Amino acid sequence: MKIYQLNNDFRYQILMTKNGSDLYILKRLGCPLTNGWEKLEVYVPASRKDRPSSDFPGFLPNAPVFGPKAKEIFQDVLEQYGEFLELDVEGRDNCFLYNTLNNLTALDEINSDVIRFTDGRIMDIKKYVFVEELVRDEIIFKIPEDPGSIFVSDEFVSIYKNNVLSGLVFKEVWSNEQ
């Protein structure tokens, strides 16, 4: 089993919010937002329109955006781990921000390589080691020690590759294989 950090592939188009004040909503990611959600208006900036579109337009590292095809493929697999929040995308089919609600205390801090602030909080994680029993059956999750990252399993990566999707890059950060 392997765990990957999910990242945007910046060779493709990215999205930006039309109204900068909408970003306050995104500070609440990780908490349920479905009730009362109003579609955010987003657009592809002029400087990125020459890039190809993808199934996962870039947005924020802790908030992947799924295009219609990607949402259809992943919806049944991911709906128990988070929520799809509709975005109003100027000039193209609407996309869906995925709010990952699956927060796990699964980092093995003792065996991971972490850099700490003087007060003991984690500043950076150089090497991730996860508690295998806690991540074994998880497809997508976050950890409190690194709230800006989303982690996915082999199964997620396999679905992505088998459906020839585009827009994401996967960085392997942990494996239980020798």
Side-chain angles (χ1 to χ4, degrees):
M1 171 176 73
K2 295 180 181 179
I3 300 294
Y4 301 84
Q5 189 176 45
L6 186 142
N7 294 297
N8 295 314
D9 186 340
F10 290 107
R11 294 177 300 170
Y12 296 94
Q13 292 180 348
I14 63 167
L15 300 175
M16 295 183 71
T17 59
K18 281 189 174 181
N19 185 349
S21 65
D22 286 342
L23 290 175
Y24 82 92
I25 293 169
L26 303 177
K27 290 181 181 182
R28 295 181 32 225
L29 288 173
C31 299
L33 296 173
T34 302
N35 292 335
W37 176 258
E38 293 181 27
K39 289 193 269 188
L40 293 181
E41 293 182 352
V42 296
Y43 68 99
V44 177
S47 64
R48 301 299 289 244
K49 285 192 180 197
D50 63 332
R51 306 270 173 109
S53 62
S54 72
D55 301 300
F56 292 87
F59 192 52
L60 298 172
N62 64 337
V65 172
F66 288 62
K69 176 184 173 186
K71 180 186 184 252
E72 182 179 323
I73 290 166
F74 277 100
Q75 184 161 2
D76 290 342
V77 175
L78 295 183
E79 64 187 353
Q80 67 180 324
Y81 299 104
E83 55 192 10
F84 288 94
L85 305 168
E86 192 170 6
L87 299 174
D88 183 6
V89 185
E90 179 180 271
R92 67 181 274 181
D93 290 337
N94 285 354
C95 294
F96 301 84
L97 177 99
Y98 185 73
N99 182 19
T100 306
L101 300 176
N102 191 24
N103 292 294
L104 304 176
T105 307
L107 184 70
D108 177 348
E109 286 189 39
I110 294 170
N111 293 307
S112 295
D113 183 6
V114 299
I115 298 172
R116 296 185 183 274
F117 291 105
T118 55
D119 66 3
R121 290 178 300 125
I122 293 177
M123 178 189 320
D124 192 19
I125 303 171
K126 296 292 186 190
K127 177 185 166 200
Y128 294 85
V129 176
F130 292 104
V131 178
E132 184 175 347
E133 300 79 43
L134 298 177
V135 299
R136 180 180 299 127
D137 298 321
E138 306 298 330
I139 294 170
I140 189 167
F141 63 93
K142 291 182 177 183
I143 58 173
E145 299 87 354
D146 187 359
S149 294
I150 293 180
F151 301 94
V152 296
S153 69
D154 303 76
E155 182 178 354
F156 185 103
V157 175
S158 179
I159 292 169
Y160 177 90
K161 289 180 178 178
N162 289 340
N163 285 281
V164 194
L165 298 172
S166 61
L168 295 177
V169 174
F170 305 98
K171 177 184 174 188
E172 183 182 328
V173 294
W174 180 79
S175 174
N176 69 347
E177 301 165 6
Q178 301 302 347

